[in-house]
């Protein structure tokens, strides 16, 4: 119906893919929000996989991949791309954006129904990166909270070697 009323247009793009462009952002938002959340997750997953499989994959697509994977059901892929985004923005000293990417990855893991055991090490690394960024931006109490959270996670998951590292970091 939207196509007949010319609310969006189809454009042929390279690599035999079709690109859709909405006539107005409000129409795009309305169409998106009318979808069920399950349908949105499926669409984001298809878009992310399509972008990832594209032969012209470049570093500038990392944010797009992180966006779509983080809205799909593929938590581990989302966390991987969010970590890449955090590292990329951190390398340019965009600390606030880097923190946002890492915090989003932590939220995804903490709210994931996936096996937390496989994601525990990633969560530990994310806590370390967040603590470093909080300290770099003089947000010491937030850095301490993240490290205490990390120590609690290590105790819960019986990760003694990681627990020792967490206590060492807290002592620094």
């Amino acid at each position: 119906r939207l196509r007949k009323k010319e609310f969006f247009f189809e454009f042929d793009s390279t690599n035999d893919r079709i690109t859709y462009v909405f006539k107005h952002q409000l129409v795009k938002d309305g169409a998106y929000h009318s979808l069920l959340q399950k349908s949105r997750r499926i669409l984001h997953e298809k878009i992310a996989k399509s972008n990832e499989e594209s032969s012209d994959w470049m570093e500038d697509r990392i944010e797009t991949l992180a966006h779509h994977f983080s809205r799909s059901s593929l938590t581990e892929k989302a966390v991987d791309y969010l970590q890449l985004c955090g590292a990329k923005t951190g390398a340019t000293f965009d600390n606030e954006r880097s923190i946002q990417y890492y915090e989003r990855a932590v939220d995804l893991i903490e709210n994931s129904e996936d096996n937390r055991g496989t994601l525990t090490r990633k969560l530990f690394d994310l806590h370390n990166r967040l603590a470093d960024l909080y300290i770099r931006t003089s947000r010491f109490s937030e850095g301490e909270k993240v490290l205490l959270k990390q120590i609690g996670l290590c105790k819960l998951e019986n990760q003694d070697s990681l627990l020792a590292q967490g206590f060492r970091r807290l002592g620094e």
Side-chain angles (χ1 to χ4, degrees):
R1 290 188 309 197
L2 293 175
R3 188 181 312 184
K4 284 182 182 178
K5 294 184 179 186
E6 296 183 353
F7 282 112
F8 72 89
F9 304 96
E10 266 182 37
F11 290 101
D12 289 328
S13 62
T14 58
N15 301 336
D16 299 323
R17 288 198 272 172
I18 297 172
T19 302
Y20 296 96
V21 177
F22 283 85
K23 194 171 186 175
H24 195 281
Q25 183 66 34
L26 290 175
V27 174
K28 178 183 170 186
D29 291 344
Y32 179 77
H33 291 294
S34 70
L35 295 171
L36 296 173
Q37 284 190 355
K38 183 177 180 181
S39 298
R40 287 186 213 171
R41 276 194 299 277
I42 291 168
L43 284 174
H44 280 292
E45 185 173 323
K46 287 180 180 180
I47 292 167
K49 285 181 175 179
S50 174
N51 274 303
E52 188 179 46
E53 292 169 1
S54 175
S55 61
D56 61 343
W57 187 88
M58 296 180 167
E59 197 172 302
D60 60 335
R61 282 196 172 175
I62 293 170
E63 289 88 353
T64 301
L65 290 166
H67 170 81
H68 289 294
F69 274 121
S70 68
R71 285 159 179 76
S72 76
S73 59
L74 300 173
T75 304
E76 196 160 353
K77 284 260 193 189
V79 168
D80 290 342
Y81 283 110
L82 288 165
Q83 282 182 299
L84 288 172
C85 289
K88 180 181 174 184
T89 54
T92 61
F93 300 101
D94 189 350
N95 296 322
E96 291 306 316
R97 273 188 62 207
S98 189
I99 287 170
Q100 289 172 358
Y101 284 124
Y102 291 140
E103 285 177 341
R104 177 77 175 125
V106 167
D107 287 343
L108 284 176
I109 292 172
E110 289 177 344
N111 295 312
S112 172
E113 295 174 8
D114 295 346
N115 181 2
R116 283 271 305 270
T118 60
L119 297 172
T120 300
R121 180 65 197 200
K122 288 184 183 197
L123 190 54
F124 182 85
D125 291 339
L126 286 164
H127 285 151
N128 274 335
R129 292 173 192 221
L130 275 171
D132 289 341
L133 286 164
Y134 286 139
I135 291 165
R136 188 182 309 160
T137 56
S138 299
R139 293 158 62 180
F140 303 110
S141 63
E142 289 178 74
E144 182 181 15
K145 285 178 190 174
V146 168
L147 291 172
L148 289 170
K149 194 174 185 180
Q150 179 188 66
I151 288 169
L153 173 70
C154 291
K155 286 179 181 178
L156 184 69
E157 300 284 335
N158 293 319
Q159 297 285 332
D160 293 336
S161 63
L162 297 178
L163 181 62
Q165 291 177 39
F167 277 120
R168 182 186 54 78
R169 288 291 319 273
L170 188 59
E172 293 174 349

